[in-house]
Amino acid sequence: MALANITAAVNATMRAVLWEGNAYNVTVADVPRPTLINATDAIVKLSRAAICGSDLHIYRGTNPGPPAPWVLGHEGIGYVSEVGEGVGSLSVGDPVIIPFATAEGHLHTDLTTQMYGGYGNGGGMGGTQAEFIRIPFADDGLIPIPATQGGNMTESQANDYVMVSDIFATGWEALDYAGFKAGDTVAIFGAGPVGLMALHAARIRGASRIYSVDYVPERLSIAQEQGATPINFREADPVEQIMALEPNGVTRSIDAVGYEQVNRNLTVQSDVITRNMLAVTSTGGGMGTVGVYNMPASDSEVAPRASTMDDTLELSLASFFFGQFKWQAGPSDPIGLAPELVALVASGVASPGFIVSDVISIEDAPEAYRRFERHEITKAVIAFD
Ligand code: NAD
Ligand code: ZN
């Protein structure tokens, strides 16, 4: 490459959605385009990126993170645009899914320290809500999208595959965390994107009855269309509503909301759902917590509202003991689940893109964040092409 071209590449910029440390505000700005740093890196040109409920924790100023500013986003698909010399399995032009966290390579570090888009990684990892992103350990850290007929992805295929980068995997794994087996009954708390993905997974995996708990009418309607019994927790205690229909309780319950959940007065109260799950899960049943709990004790430059959260739960250990529950929590593993979930999408058995309500330009991201935060959007996808 001639020197002039190198300088041009180094100075190149791209549009990106930025977190600048101001609650309820994101901006779209020109930032430096990422370049290859290590031989095992690839650069991906985004075609679609989604806005996640996890981005809302940042947006509300309650989520700890690296010093601002940094590029938001950890859900996306695109095409490989550059590969380092050490990348063996990918070529320029390959369509790929970007899972929300990097492969660890040989670093053996904690998965959660390596998420894109500002989650606990020093901000240096980049985010998907931008035209380009650098992917470390690209051979293991990108999920190839199978060839589509005619070579080009349709809008609905693109929406399906972008869900595999995070929330379809998260909804799927929530069931595993709860010990789900075909024929089980399931109560899913939250009919946001993650709860609706858990519902989609529960249908595919043969749940006998599914209850979807929320208070947003539009989201409960989608859950009902997808085969769940809607439970509106503003109308009556959700535990009473579920127990009236399932006197022995449900065998599995899922938290698809996380620490910014609200009580019946719509005030944030972070222990409501765990209490509800303990009350509706049958003896010997299981609970899966994929809603995020990530609240630091005090406010900081990047989490200016952190201290409004309380992370304690009062629990009867005796009832927990005799409940004989399985209970698992944590981030999901889109890389590990990819072979199974990509095959389900490619064969048409799964179509998680059904939840996409808004396909937008990156310039409209600030407004999409505002509306998603108020639950006026079910799932927004930024289209770059
Ligand atoms: P979202 O904010 O759009 O949806 C949350 C839904 O929960 C809303 O519809 C809200 O009305 C509802 N809700 C609030 N309080 C409730 C209550 N007490 N009972 C029932 N429903 C209640 O977000 P989302 O995109 O669906 O994400 C949900 C959670 O999943 C977030 O915490 C997000 O960070 C987390 N998440 C975790 C992983 C993971 O790997 N574990 C991955 C992606 C997202
Ligand atoms: Zn996400």
Side-chain angles (χ1 to χ4, degrees):
M1 207 191 266
L3 186 59
N5 288 345
I6 293 172
T7 312
V10 167
N11 291 336
T13 60
M14 63 175 182
R15 298 296 278 166
V17 183
L18 278 190
W19 168 246
E20 296 187 289
N22 304 312
Y24 298 100
N25 189 28
V26 299
T27 51
V28 180
D30 289 324
V31 302
R33 228 168 98 163
T35 52
L36 297 172
I37 296 177
N38 300 311
T40 47
D41 289 350
I43 305 292
V44 173
K45 182 177 190 317
L46 273 294
S47 56
R48 295 280 189 282
I51 304 176
C52 181
S54 299
D55 298 322
L56 291 182
H57 301 313
I58 298 166
Y59 185 69
R60 296 188 186 111
T62 63
N63 189 87
W70 32 261
V71 179
L72 282 151
H74 55 268
E75 302 181 351
I77 58 171
Y79 294 89
V80 174
S81 64
E82 281 178 73
V83 287
E85 286 167 8
V87 175
S89 65
L90 297 162
S91 307
V92 169
D94 286 354
V96 285
I97 299 165
I98 303 165
F100 68 65
T102 60
E104 62 175 347
H106 299 285
L107 298 174
H108 301 298
T109 50
D110 173 7
L111 177 82
T112 54
T113 64
Q114 298 180 75
M115 270 185 73
Y116 300 104
Y119 268 90
N121 59 32
M125 209 64 83
T128 55
Q129 291 163 16
E131 292 174 89
F132 294 87
I133 186 169
R134 181 178 73 90
I135 307 294
F137 306 111
D139 277 325
D140 299 322
L142 286 171
I143 301 163
I145 295 177
T148 50
Q149 218 174 1
N152 284 324
M153 256 181 281
T154 62
E155 178 90 17
S156 86
Q157 285 168 327
N159 288 343
D160 284 339
Y161 283 118
V162 75
M163 297 308 139
V164 176
S165 70
D166 177 350
I167 62 169
F168 186 37
T170 301
W172 190 275
E173 197 149 12
L175 296 173
D176 294 331
Y177 287 174
F180 177 87
K181 296 188 191 68
D184 281 342
T185 51
V186 190
I188 301 169
F189 289 85
V194 173
L196 292 172
M197 290 293 94
L199 165 53
H200 192 53
R203 286 288 304 279
I204 293 169
R205 296 170 67 171
S208 56
R209 286 183 298 283
I210 305 168
Y211 301 90
S212 172
V213 186
D214 207 302
Y215 75 96
V216 179
E218 295 76 18
R219 293 182 170 195
L220 287 172
S221 299
I222 299 171
Q224 189 166 20
E225 279 161 25
Q226 296 295 317
T229 302
I231 304 283
N232 188 327
F233 70 80
R234 281 217 86 187
E235 286 169 4
D237 180 358
V239 173
E240 284 171 17
Q241 293 188 65
I242 292 171
M243 296 309 279
L245 298 163
E246 295 286 339
N248 295 323
V250 288
T251 42
R252 313 290 154 192
S253 59
I254 306 292
D255 172 353
V257 185
Y259 66 104
E260 293 182 282
Q261 63 199 242
V262 291
N263 59 27
R264 284 185 66 191
N265 300 322
L266 304 189
T267 307
V268 172
Q269 186 187 330
S270 304
D271 67 349
V272 178
I273 290 174
T274 308
R275 288 165 173 281
N276 288 171
M277 286 163 73
L278 287 163
V280 300
T281 307
S282 60
T283 306
M287 314 197 304
T289 299
V290 289
V292 163
Y293 292 79
N294 189 22
M295 51 277 243
S298 54
D299 295 344
S300 66
E301 198 188 314
V302 281
R305 298 183 56 251
S307 62
T308 59
M309 300 292 135
D310 176 2
D311 75 346
T312 55
L313 164 71
E314 215 172 272
L315 177 71
S316 158
L317 291 169
S319 53
F320 185 70
F321 179 85
F322 285 108
Q324 301 172 45
F325 302 117
K326 286 185 185 60
W327 185 9
Q328 190 174 345
S332 67
D333 177 13
I335 297 178
L337 286 169
E340 191 175 2
L341 301 191
V342 166
L344 287 172
V345 168
S347 65
V349 172
S351 46
F354 77 87
I355 61 165
V356 174
S357 58
D358 293 71
V359 177
I360 61 164
S361 133
I362 191 167
E363 305 304 327
D364 296 328
E367 177 62 10
Y369 267 82
R370 265 192 292 281
R371 295 186 56 218
F372 182 44
E373 200 277 330
R374 296 194 297 247
H375 310 313
E376 293 167 10
I377 281 180
T378 308
K379 184 77 176 175
V381 166
I382 300 168
F384 294 90
D385 41 26

